Amino acid sequence: MAGPLPIGDPAPVDGRLPADLPIDRSTPFSAYLHIPFCRVRCGYCDFNTYTAGELRGAKQEDYATTLADEISLAERVLAEAGALRPMDTVFFGGGTPTLLPAGDLARMLDTAVSAFGIAEGAEVTVEANPDTVTPAVVRTLADAGVTRVSIGMQSAVPHVLAALDRTHDPENVRTAVAAAKDAGLAVSVDLIYGAPGELLGDWERSLDAALELESDHISAYALIIEDGTKLARQIRRGEVPTPDDDLQADMYELADARLAAAGFEWYEASNWARSSSQGSDNRSRHNLAYWRGSDWWGFGPGAHSHVAGLRWWNVKHPAAYAQRLAASESPAAGTERPDAEARMLERVLLQSRLAEGIAVSDLPEGNRSRVAGLMADGLVDAAAAIRGRVRLTLRGRLLADAVVRELTD
């Protein structure tokens, strides 16, 4: 995964892991491959992405080779630490991974599989912009071992897409999904709700359009205004309204009801998977690896990694990233090892958002008695709590941040 760089300790130039790291080879291992390229920058996005005019010395056509150099470094580092394991999940995120030729993505995946191996039945996902998905692209991806595509639909309503600075043709979502299915790939679609000017009826239209696609998985995220984005500046200048919390809550409740009625089950506060009578698992196993605290290596500029409690993050700009690797140096910009208290807080924050919940015994000892009050307020499922797990109700999902504060303060 890729995001803003925190402040931490300097990273070793050779990328070596600390000798005292408590490696557990039974912990699942995942790979995240960050593709930092976009045709345009969406007004709400604060991800580490770059348009062609912002690359300044980095070339998209060289990226697959550059990232392969980091894969080679990771193979050496993990082997020396006794932490080399087959990948359970792989995720190409961005940015827009499908801006690169499908053959480049296939080559990166092949390099990673050659370095680490891949578990039987592994999940391999590629994020895609609808305008960049063609039958030829998805056939190449499927032949390379990709099992799943996540298509950035965001909305079916043109004025909402315009408010988000999304430039894709809404009609291309349907053709992209159809092409992916024809290639034998599982399909997820991503939605965003609460954009400036979006009404409840607009959101209902987008939900209906997403359900008509008959995908395997739907993510629905409330629009968050991130500092430093174009949208944040527009709101500060009074050009567009601030998102309405009450309207976003109504939109979430509508989504949960519509998706449940269509046979989808929520498994994380913003994610729903189609239930299957055959027992197949349509949840994003890669994202579950993050939420459950598994190990992963994030490849690419600004990507974050986690192995056995150690975290590190790469330099952000593609040119600086390439320069480090060309000099046979680690691209890591810094590292940190959160203490036991910080790890507990993070575990509560992430696992409490899952439908499986978090064990009461995993909460800070002094906060466990507060579960009863959360039950009384209708925020935590009473039957689950009696069985020893904190599981959010629908109301609890709407107030998840408040629940976490109650369980950790």
Side-chain angles (χ1 to χ4, degrees):
M1 57 195 303
L5 302 186
I7 297 173
D9 298 322
V13 173
D14 61 3
R16 184 172 298 172
L17 300 179
D20 64 342
L21 207 60
I23 301 295
D24 181 354
R25 288 178 53 84
S26 68
T27 300
F29 177 70
S30 296
Y32 171 80
L33 286 72
H34 186 61
I35 314 300
F37 310 119
C38 283
R39 284 180 179 161
V40 297
R41 183 180 299 282
C42 299
Y44 62 90
C45 179
D46 73 336
F47 293 168
N48 189 47
T49 61
Y50 301 84
T51 60
E54 297 170 328
L55 289 177
R56 300 193 308 276
K59 297 179 180 178
Q60 289 189 26
E61 56 266 32
D62 296 337
Y63 189 71
T65 299
T66 301
L67 190 134
D69 289 339
E70 189 183 0
I71 292 175
S72 295
L73 180 145
E75 181 183 15
R76 172 181 58 79
V77 166
L78 292 173
E80 289 178 354
L84 198 61
R85 287 154 283 169
M87 300 176 294
D88 287 275
T89 69
V90 183
F91 196 100
F92 289 82
T96 308
T98 45
L99 270 186
L100 291 182
D104 282 7
L105 301 178
R107 181 153 58 98
M108 286 185 267
L109 178 57
D110 183 65
T111 303
V113 171
S114 296
F116 311 119
I118 191 163
E120 184 177 354
E123 174 193 272
V124 181
T125 303
V126 173
E127 286 186 335
N129 181 299
D131 288 347
T132 62
V133 175
T134 67
V137 165
V138 290
R139 279 198 301 271
T140 298
L141 296 177
D143 289 345
V146 172
T147 64
R148 182 175 181 270
V149 291
S150 179
I151 295 175
M153 176 179 174
Q154 316 311 356
S155 175
V157 180
H159 80 83
V160 176
L161 290 172
L164 295 170
D165 287 329
R166 298 290 294 188
T167 59
H168 70 261
D169 182 344
E171 292 302 315
N172 285 346
V173 176
R174 184 179 302 279
T175 57
V177 170
K181 287 183 176 181
D182 287 345
L185 299 177
V187 177
S188 174
V189 295
D190 287 354
L191 299 172
I192 293 178
Y193 59 91
E198 183 177 23
L199 303 176
L200 192 61
D202 297 325
W203 176 234
E204 187 172 21
R205 178 178 164 189
S206 292
L207 286 170
D208 289 344
L211 288 170
E212 287 173 4
L213 298 171
E214 297 186 343
S215 65
D216 307 288
H217 183 281
I218 293 178
S219 299
Y221 300 105
L223 179 65
I224 297 174
I225 307 304
E226 303 286 359
D227 290 341
T229 61
K230 173 186 173 182
L231 187 54
R233 293 191 293 273
Q234 290 176 317
I235 290 174
R236 189 168 59 249
R237 294 193 296 261
E239 297 170 2
V240 297
T242 302
D244 184 317
D245 291 343
D246 291 337
L247 178 58
Q248 286 191 336
D250 291 341
M251 289 175 167
Y252 183 88
E253 290 180 324
L254 178 63
D256 190 64
R258 282 295 180 89
L259 293 172
F264 285 79
E265 297 177 348
W266 79 277
Y267 69 96
E268 192 275 338
S270 298
N271 290 273
W272 291 258
R274 186 179 294 279
S275 57
S276 172
S277 58
Q278 284 73 42
S280 61
D281 190 350
N282 292 313
R283 299 176 298 173
S284 170
R285 287 159 48 195
H286 186 84
N287 285 338
L288 282 168
Y290 294 147
W291 297 322
R292 291 170 174 168
S294 295
D295 289 346
W296 73 88
W297 192 299
F299 298 92
H304 289 225
S305 302
H306 169 261
V307 173
L310 177 73
R311 302 180 184 278
W312 66 94
W313 48 93
N314 287 347
V315 294
K316 294 186 71 171
H317 198 277
Y321 172 77
Q323 289 165 6
R324 291 276 191 100
L325 288 164
S328 299
E329 296 178 356
S330 167
T335 69
E336 65 176 4
R337 293 180 76 170
D339 61 20
E341 181 179 3
R343 292 196 303 271
M344 176 180 287
L345 294 179
E346 182 178 81
R347 185 164 63 248
V348 175
L349 174 66
L350 295 176
Q351 293 186 12
S352 66
R353 292 177 58 87
L354 297 175
E356 64 197 42
I358 184 171
V360 174
S361 59
D362 285 340
L363 300 176
E365 189 171 353
N367 296 69
R368 296 171 190 171
S369 61
R370 299 182 183 181
V371 174
L374 294 170
M375 290 167 51
D377 291 337
L379 300 173
V380 166
D381 181 86
I386 291 171
R387 294 193 300 270
R389 298 198 70 82
V390 175
R391 185 178 189 272
L392 299 179
T393 61
L394 173 58
R395 183 165 183 264
R397 282 181 268 157
L398 290 169
L399 299 171
D401 290 345
V403 172
V404 170
R405 284 194 298 272
E406 184 68 14
L407 293 176
T408 57
D409 284 351

